[in-house]
Amino acid sequence: MTLPSVETLGLVKIALVFGTLAVLFVAERLRPAAPLPPVVVARRWGRLAGNAGLAVLNAGISIAIIVPLTIWVAGALGGLSVDWRPVWWGGWAGLALDMVLLDLWIYWWHRFNHVVPLLWRFHQVHHLDRTLDVTTAVRFHFGEVVLSALARVPVVVILGFPVTSVLAFEAALGAASAFHHSNLKLPRALERALSRVIITPSIHWVHHHRVRRDTDSNYGTIFSFWDRLFGSRSRTARTSDMEIGVEGRPERDFARLLWVPFGKG
């Protein structure tokens, strides 16, 4: 069986990501795992509007800047691309291996965002959210989106990942991010079983705990075994009253979130 075309994968990516976001947005409000904390209740609509605003801004920047810039960088690095893959590294088996390797790259990129001060300045915008739901999955500073895109291009070009693998991974990444940021209450046995392989809400909520030692843990995005393999899995268990955010820093409104990476501290 041949792999889907690039056009088909592009449509699948859009449908999967937006469909997952929409379904989980409704489901987590019907069956929430944790109540909204008092600090969020008073500004719940302002928070949703701010997260949506960041998502819309990033979509516009992606179309106007990131996509053309990515194409230009990929063209500049095109001479570094080497067709070194053996015959067996193709088809569905090759796609599966590419998904694992790309997720390994995202694990380390995410970890770098917590370790490198410049990257953390941008990434903390995502963590300043004082609660989690699927809208947190699209809440990123546009600077982080640009830096992530530019950092990914050399890896994709030099290691020779085909466009089909990149699109399939981005579709899975978007759906996985929506899932593990959601406030959906899952049956305990189901979540325990899923957590052996993929990142679940309970794992990722600890990553957003308003305690820095937990914030700097549980970096996985799709697969949960990277944190166990590289010693970054937190021993903290999620609780329904776990405080979310960045230790010692308050939430900001939409306009001030844009300025966070360029301010003091």
Side-chain angles (χ1 to χ4, degrees), residues 179 185-196 198 200:
F179 171 64
K185 185 176 183 179
L186 298 173
R188 185 173 300 178
L190 174 61
E191 181 147 13
R192 186 184 301 114
L194 291 174
S195 68
R196 295 190 179 99
I198 65 173
T200 62

Side-chain angles (χ1 to χ4, degrees), residues 10 40 43 48 53 65 75 91 94 112 124 143 167 169 171 177 182 190 192 203 206 212 257:
V40 175
R43 57 178 303 274
L48 290 175
I65 299 175
F112 291 153
Q124 68 176 309
L167 286 174
F169 175 73
S177 183
S182 72
L190 174 61
R192 186 184 301 114
I203 293 174
V206 173
R212 190 59 194 251
L257 282 175

Side-chain angles (χ1 to χ4, degrees), residues 154-199:
V155 175
V156 170
V157 171
I158 295 172
L159 296 183
F161 289 107
V163 176
T164 51
S165 293
V166 175
L167 286 174
F169 175 73
E170 288 181 348
L173 183 68
S177 183
F179 171 64
H180 63 236
H181 282 98
S182 72
N183 188 26
L184 177 64
K185 185 176 183 179
L186 298 173
R188 185 173 300 178
L190 174 61
E191 181 147 13
R192 186 184 301 114
L194 291 174
S195 68
R196 295 190 179 99
V197 181
I198 65 173
I199 302 297

Side-chain angles (χ1 to χ4, degrees), residues 7 9-10 37 53 67 85 110 136 153 170 180 188 199 205 237 242 253:
E7 292 77 12
L9 281 173
V67 172
R85 293 180 175 229
H110 187 187
T136 313
V153 171
E170 288 181 348
H180 63 236
R188 185 173 300 178
I199 302 297
W205 272 59
M242 177 173 281
D253 59 28

Side-chain angles (χ1 to χ4, degrees), residues 13-113:
K13 172 187 172 182
I14 294 172
L16 179 62
V17 174
F18 282 95
T20 303
L21 286 168
V23 169
L24 288 174
F25 185 84
V26 174
E28 68 186 0
R29 280 153 181 79
L30 296 176
R31 185 178 169 82
L36 285 178
V39 71
V40 175
V41 171
R43 57 178 303 274
R44 68 173 72 186
W45 296 112
R47 170 187 170 270
L48 290 175
N51 289 357
L54 286 171
V56 171
L57 177 61
N58 287 331
I61 289 175
S62 295
I63 295 171
I65 299 175
I66 295 178
V67 172
L69 189 59
T70 299
I71 293 173
W72 180 83
V73 173
L77 295 175
L80 299 176
S81 181
V82 179
D83 187 13
W84 52 270
R85 293 180 175 229
V87 175
W88 59 265
W89 197 341
W92 290 99
L95 175 62
L97 181 56
D98 286 344
M99 297 279 281
V100 173
L101 292 176
L102 285 167
D103 192 57
L104 174 60
W105 157 247
I106 291 297
Y107 165 87
W108 281 107
W109 173 250
H110 187 187
R111 192 163 179 170
F112 291 153
N113 273 267

